[in-house]
Amino acid sequence: MPLVPQRAPEQSDCGLVASLDNVRNLSTVLKAIHFRDHATCFATKNGIKVTVENAKCVQANAFIQAGIFQEFKVQEEPVTFRINLTVLLDCLSIFGSNPVPGNLTALRMCYQGYGYPLMLFLEEGGVVTVCKISTQEPEETLDFDFCSTNVVNKIILQSEGLREAFSELDMTSEVLQITMSPDKPYFRLSTFGNAGSSHLDYPKDSDLMESFHCNQTQVNRYKISLLKPSTKALVLSCKVSVRTDNRGFLSLQYMIRNEDGQVCFVEYYCCPDEEPPESES
Amino acid sequence: MKFRAKIVDPACLNHFTRVSCMVAKLARACTLRIRPQKLNFILADTAAGGGVSMWCELPQENFFSEFQMEGVSEESNEIYVELTSENLFRALKTAQNARSLKVKLTNKHFPCLTVSVELSSASNSSRMVTHDIPVKVIPRKLWKNLQEPTVPDSDVSIYLPVLKTMKSVVEKMKNISNHLIIEANLNGDLNLKIESELVCVTTHFKDLGNPPLAPKASTQDRDPEQMVEVHVDIRKFLQFLAGQQVNPTKAVCNVVSHRMVHFDLLHEDVALQYFIPALS
């Protein structure tokens, strides 16, 4: 490992420099994808993408666009590294997860390049915290090849409509079955647990439904254990787009509004579990 | 051996409850020492407790409207009892908005500290709630272990920052490491530091100020910027911070390089000293 600088490195020799007046604009979005310990970060001049994966079946991406930061510079793109997300979040919230209103934590972040640690400088009320987090070899991330031209069904819902459904999912069911159809039941969430099956229908003209574009009836099952972590993003978001493509792959896109009114997106991809039995209605 | 005391003022009652809450958070079991002028809550340093010790002192006349006591003998007019601090706190919690509170040393099959609370109710009649807290009377030959600890000459003495900020920082640090490094100098700088394979985190507090030190040869000619450090168990430090519900009037941290850290706090008229030994 190269020698680690004691002071903040000069901007010129930093692969990535970013600063932020309110660290929560970053930490909130990262919390939405925090369901595994490790994350891969990609930085381009457009912003940072942070990816978390599980079981080669589910992938979550958080996009923090450059405009969220007060200063954002990338020298040679793309800058890629793997990091312990749990540690990163602990560091970002070092001054407390629920700070007093009007008491903001500012952040300056530097990553010199391959083999160097990620340096964080956090400041609140004159107190400064310096964190040096080791980075790891970036891992290849999955390509779900989810292409908008192959999307069969797409709906946009207000998140509050799904929030209760997801937080109360019957976890004794192995799968969550999603039915999307141009005809009744339009949009249905089903579970098949120890205490019986449950179906939750959303009518197409519901107030919660922002847009409804379903072209053909699709019934797909997804491992509930893989989808459950997306509740974290759901809770933080205001709108969610649910899409499926011709292979039955699911894309959930969450729109998260931060404390400054800016919008960030978090996206979950999940592959289907198996073909549903014919008899199921 | 006799002890009986009464609190009627709601502010005093509240303050006494807060003190018992703090003691309960700092020590599971403690010794209550009763003297004609003062009360002490003591946690003696034992190997089982990891060497942490506490000394809390309050003047009785600021709390009690009546206070009578008779020690074991005329020449040693003191009483030492051991109790579970949580029991005392729970008993006092029921005394919120009470008309009065009486504390008495009784013998009901076994020695007890009896806390009687007079609660007002909607009708004019009042209700009495009585808690009997079992205590163990400590014989005189063991008193010598429960005397006010002497503060060793510290290398750096520094005022503490807002405890709430320190608490949230240390809480997060605890998720990463068990081992905390406290560093301070004579220039008003205090650093809290953890180091692990994954991450190094340092929080810098500046311009805290240093109380005047007792003149000591070694500190006279020392560079004020030079840091003195001590490694402690982060859970013990957090326990101390969690016990401070209100920011104290005065808070000083004394660092004895590589040996121990001593906290000297003043909550109005209640003095608290807390010692955390260095990890070897």
Side-chain angles (χ1 to χ4, degrees):
Chain A
M1 196 154 159
L3 280 175
V4 172
Q6 285 305 304
R7 301 240 164 244
E10 288 303 311
Q11 259 181 42
S12 53
D13 44 66
C14 255
L16 164 71
V17 180
S19 48
L20 196 57
D21 289 344
N22 181 2
V23 73
R24 282 159 60 81
N25 290 346
L26 174 63
S27 59
T28 311
V29 181
L30 295 182
K31 270 183 205 147
I33 57 163
H34 182 217
F35 62 92
R36 299 285 284 178
D37 267 346
H38 286 89
T40 311
C41 302
F42 307 88
T44 66
K45 62 179 190 315
N46 297 322
I48 305 180
K49 182 175 94 168
V50 183
T51 303
V52 179
E53 291 179 344
N54 188 14
K56 299 261 182 226
C57 288
V58 66
Q59 180 185 68
N61 295 299
F63 301 94
I64 306 104
Q65 64 269 34
I68 300 286
F69 298 92
Q70 273 66 48
E71 183 198 356
F72 191 84
K73 285 201 190 88
V74 174
Q75 284 238 304
E76 252 175 73
E77 55 183 44
V79 174
T80 314
F81 56 89
R82 190 164 176 263
I83 198 160
N84 186 314
L85 187 58
T86 313
V87 168
L88 177 61
L89 278 169
D90 271 331
C91 290
L92 291 176
S93 55
I94 190 109
F95 289 114
S97 310
N98 302 303
V100 199
N103 210 358
L104 296 182
T105 307
L107 166 73
R108 187 177 167 76
M109 191 161 82
C110 299
Y111 174 64
Q112 235 178 308
Y114 183 78
Y116 281 89
L118 178 71
M119 300 292 293
L120 304 178
F121 301 86
L122 295 126
E123 188 269 340
E124 184 182 307
V127 182
V128 176
T129 298
V130 181
C131 310
K132 192 170 77 185
I133 310 173
S134 318
T135 56
Q136 293 140 18
E137 192 78 35
E139 275 188 353
E140 189 119 351
T141 53
L142 300 171
D143 180 7
F144 278 76
D145 193 24
F146 194 95
C147 191
S148 53
T149 48
N150 296 332
V151 168
V152 178
N153 294 317
K154 172 182 177 178
I155 60 168
I156 298 175
L157 274 163
Q158 304 225 342
S159 299
E160 56 180 291
L162 273 187
R163 223 167 273 165
E164 208 169 329
F166 264 74
S167 54
E168 289 176 7
L169 281 178
D170 178 3
M171 293 303 286
T172 63
S173 169
E174 207 178 310
V175 294
L176 173 70
Q177 181 175 286
I178 301 180
T179 309
M180 288 168 101
S181 164
D183 309 301
K184 257 190 154 171
Y186 306 115
F187 180 51
R188 166 178 281 187
L189 302 175
S190 317
T191 51
F192 312 93
N194 295 342
S197 318
S198 96
H199 301 283
L200 185 66
D201 291 357
Y202 291 81
K204 140 183 166 173
D205 52 1
S206 153
D207 283 345
L208 297 167
M209 202 70 84
E210 292 248 328
S211 93
F212 186 90
H213 297 285
C214 288
N215 301 315
Q216 98 188 37
T217 304
Q218 264 186 317
V219 181
N220 290 302
R221 292 181 163 199
Y222 305 93
K223 279 249 186 306
I224 208 159
S225 56
L226 296 176
L227 279 188
K228 182 72 177 173
S230 69
T231 316
K232 287 188 175 195
L234 187 62
V235 169
L236 297 164
S237 66
C238 48
K239 284 182 198 177
V240 52
S241 137
V242 183
R243 297 181 299 166
T244 50
D245 71 0
N246 51 357
R247 303 164 300 169
F249 278 55
L250 176 70
S251 146
L252 297 166
Q253 278 179 329
Y254 299 91
M255 189 168 112
I256 297 176
R257 205 177 285 280
N258 68 21
E259 283 167 11
D260 296 334
Q262 296 156 310
V263 165
C264 286
F265 288 93
V266 164
E267 163 181 87
Y268 274 81
Y269 290 119
C270 189
C271 55
D273 192 36
E274 54 176 6
E275 289 298 309
E278 297 288 285
S279 58
E280 211 72 59
S281 63
Chain B
M1 215 170 21
K2 268 187 198 146
F3 169 60
R4 97 178 21 238
K6 188 175 178 184
I7 304 181
V8 283
D9 182 66
C12 293
L13 189 54
N14 229 323
H15 194 20
F16 195 60
T17 310
R18 272 211 308 274
V19 172
S20 74
C21 172
M22 177 178 81
V23 170
K25 285 207 151 85
L26 294 178
R28 212 182 57 78
C30 71
T31 303
L32 174 63
R33 178 200 199 191
I34 305 161
R35 282 180 293 168
Q37 306 302 327
K38 284 180 173 136
L39 285 186
N40 290 109
F41 292 100
I42 306 163
L43 173 69
D45 131 45
T46 58
V52 169
S53 58
M54 171 190 79
W55 180 264
C56 176
E57 182 163 295
L58 37 140
Q60 63 86 358
E61 78 260 16
N62 294 5
F63 289 86
F64 299 96
S65 59
E66 287 169 33
F67 192 93
Q68 293 163 15
M69 72 148 301
E70 213 170 88
V72 286
S73 72
E74 206 134 301
E75 61 276 19
S76 28
N77 193 14
E78 299 183 46
I79 301 171
Y80 288 76
V81 290
E82 195 183 301
L83 51 88
T84 305
S85 15
E86 183 68 27
N87 287 344
L88 179 65
F89 172 55
R90 254 183 277 163
L92 291 174
K93 245 191 350 197
T94 60
Q96 271 172 352
N97 309 317
R99 278 195 200 151
S100 70
L101 171 96
K102 279 186 203 150
V103 193
K104 200 161 59 171
L105 206 55
T106 54
N107 199 351
K108 304 184 173 179
H109 306 297
F110 49 83
C112 281
L113 193 68
T114 301
V115 177
S116 322
V117 182
E118 188 189 351
L119 293 164
S120 47
S121 52
S123 69
N124 236 349
S125 59
S126 59
R127 293 164 294 155
M128 290 295 289
V129 180
T130 304
H131 298 259
D132 289 320
I133 302 166
V135 296
K136 207 166 84 193
V137 176
I138 298 173
R140 207 184 317 183
K141 64 172 189 287
L142 296 176
W143 288 7
K144 62 177 191 308
N145 303 332
L146 298 162
Q147 297 310 303
E148 180 161 6
T150 46
V151 183
D153 288 338
S154 57
D155 296 299
V156 166
S157 182
I158 190 165
Y159 290 112
L160 285 175
V162 178
L163 297 184
K164 213 171 142 236
T165 313
M166 272 228 263
K167 188 178 152 217
S168 54
V169 167
V170 176
E171 259 171 2
K172 298 288 170 181
M173 287 180 164
K174 191 195 63 159
N175 294 345
I176 301 167
S177 172
N178 292 328
H179 195 112
L180 177 74
I181 304 165
I182 301 176
E183 281 183 336
N185 66 15
L186 293 169
N187 196 33
D189 300 320
L190 174 75
N191 298 339
L192 300 179
K193 203 152 92 177
I194 52 162
E195 283 167 358
S196 80
E197 258 175 49
L198 271 177
V199 60
C200 299
V201 181
T202 314
T203 298
H204 304 267
F205 297 90
K206 286 198 176 309
D207 306 320
L208 297 173
N210 301 87
L213 270 181
K216 192 178 141 197
S218 64
T219 54
Q220 293 300 314
D221 47 327
R222 212 175 55 210
D223 176 8
E225 299 269 346
Q226 195 201 326
M227 287 287 180
V228 169
E229 66 169 43
V230 63
H231 297 227
V232 297
D233 183 333
I234 201 161
R235 287 161 302 178
K236 300 210 168 87
F237 185 46
L238 190 60
Q239 196 176 19
F240 160 71
L241 292 170
Q244 311 306 315
Q245 301 294 305
V246 278
N247 213 45
T249 355
K250 188 193 90 174
V252 175
C253 165
N254 297 310
V255 182
V256 186
S257 179
H258 297 288
R259 272 189 55 207
M260 64 135 79
V261 58
H262 166 234
F263 298 96
D264 190 356
L265 267 59
L266 198 67
H267 288 278
E268 297 170 49
D269 42 10
V270 180
L272 173 75
Q273 296 189 58
Y274 193 74
F275 299 79
I276 307 177
L279 291 172
S280 44

